[in-house]
Structures are given as structure tokens and as C-alpha cells.
């Protein structure tokens, strides 16, 4: 019963907002100044920086070294404080 009393004003508000949004969309024009000029002509394509194999290597190799160093330091910290000590299983002697 309470839900039905609240539903009518809620539905009326939703319908009113829908009618207002339809009216506003007619008058609104979309402006994308980053793609074209005011005249409608497309802007020229921006220059591209060459991204060769050397640049990829310069980005990946230091990241791998930094990640490996951090992992090694964390593993040493955990082992020194007896938070995680790898078990010495002799399963591979067969």
C-alpha cells in the first residue's frame, strides 16, 4: 500500500523529466572543436612520434629490473622475519 502511494508521484516525476529532456535535446548541438574547425573542415592529422623497438626496450628493461629488485627485497624481508619460509622438500631426488 505504501509502495503504491509512492509510485504515482515517482512515475509522474520520471515522465516530467523525460519530457523536459526531449525538449532540450532538440535545441542542443554538439560541439567537437578538437576534431574539426568551425567551418566544418577536418583538422589535419597530428604528427606521430616514431615509437621503435629501441623505445620499447628502454621502457621494458628498467621496469623488469625494478620489479625484480623489489620482489627480491620483499622475499628477503619475509624470510628474515619468519613470515614466509619456503619448505625444503626433497621430492626431486628420484
Amino acid at each position: 500500500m505504501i509502495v503504491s502511494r509512492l509510485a504515482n508521484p515517482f512515475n509522474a516525476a520520471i515522465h516530467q523529466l523525460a519530457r523536459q529532456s526531449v525538449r532540450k535535446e532538440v535545441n542542443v548541438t554538439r560541439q567537437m572543436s578538437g576534431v574539426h574547425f568551425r567551418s566544418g573542415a577536418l583538422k589535419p592529422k597530428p604528427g606521430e612520434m616514431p615509437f621503435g623497438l629501441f623505445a620499447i626496450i628502454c621502457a621494458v628493461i628498467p621496469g623488469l629490473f625494478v620489479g625484480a629488485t623489489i620482489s627480491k627485497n620483499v622475499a628477503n624481508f619475509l624470510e628474515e622475519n619468519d613470515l614466509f619460509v619456503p619448505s625444503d622438500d626433497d621430492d626431486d631426488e628420484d
Side-chain angles (χ1 to χ4, degrees), residues 36-90:
H36 58 82
F37 294 108
R38 284 186 176 174
S39 65
L42 293 175
K43 290 185 177 181
K45 187 177 179 181
E48 295 180 10
M49 185 180 118
F51 199 77
L53 185 62
F54 179 72
I56 294 172
I57 290 172
C58 287
V60 171
I61 298 297
L64 288 174
F65 279 119
V66 168
T69 303
I70 291 171
S71 298
K72 184 178 73 170
N73 290 338
V74 169
N76 285 337
F77 173 79
L78 292 174
E79 192 170 352
E80 287 174 6
N81 293 316
D82 290 329
L83 297 172
F84 176 76
V85 180
S87 61
D88 293 331
D89 293 334
D90 296 330

Side-chain angles (χ1 to χ4, degrees), residues 1-54:
M1 180 130 175
I2 293 174
V3 175
S4 63
R5 289 184 184 177
L6 294 176
N8 287 336
F10 185 68
N11 286 336
I14 289 176
H15 289 296
Q16 185 179 6
L17 287 174
R19 281 187 234 123
Q20 288 175 355
S21 66
V22 169
R23 287 184 211 145
K24 288 180 182 179
E25 286 180 22
V26 174
N27 297 331
V28 175
T29 57
R30 192 170 184 182
Q31 299 283 334
M32 294 181 65
S33 61
V35 178
H36 58 82
F37 294 108
R38 284 186 176 174
S39 65
L42 293 175
K43 290 185 177 181
K45 187 177 179 181
E48 295 180 10
M49 185 180 118
F51 199 77
L53 185 62
F54 179 72

